[in-house]
Amino acid sequence: MKAQTTVIAPKWHTVAEVAAMLGYGLTKTKMLVITGEMRSLKDGRSRRILPEWVDEYIARRVDEMEHAA
C-alpha cells in the first residue's frame, strides 16, 4: 500500500513570497504594503498577506489597465 502525500496550501504569504509571485522586487512590494495598495496584517514582527489579497491587488491592476486604454 502506498503512502498518501498531502499538500498543504499556504494560508498566507510573506512579503518576500508575494514579491516573488508577482515578479516584483522586495522594495516595491514593501511599498505596496506601506501605502496600503496591498492589504497585509501584522503577525508578531512580520507582515503576512492572504492569497485573496494578492488576487484583489492583481484584479485591481488589471481593471486599472483596462480602463486606461
Side-chain angles (χ1 to χ4, degrees), residues 18-45:
V18 172
M21 285 190 291
L22 296 176
Y24 289 173
L26 186 56
T27 301
K28 178 175 181 166
T29 308
K30 285 180 179 181
M31 286 306 297
L32 292 173
V33 168
I34 290 167
T35 61
E37 290 184 65
M38 174 83 61
R39 291 171 63 187
S40 69
L41 58 86
K42 190 94 163 146
D43 180 41
R45 292 174 41 193

Side-chain angles (χ1 to χ4, degrees), residues 7-19:
V7 177
I8 300 172
K11 301 297 183 191
W12 56 23
H13 303 290
T14 65
V15 176
E17 289 170 341
V18 172

Side-chain angles (χ1 to χ4, degrees), residues 1 3-6 8 13 17 21 23-25 27-28 44 49 57 62 67:
M1 190 170 188
Q4 284 188 325
T5 303
T6 303
I8 300 172
H13 303 290
E17 289 170 341
M21 285 190 291
Y24 289 173
T27 301
K28 178 175 181 166
I49 301 169
Y57 170 76
V62 168
H67 286 93

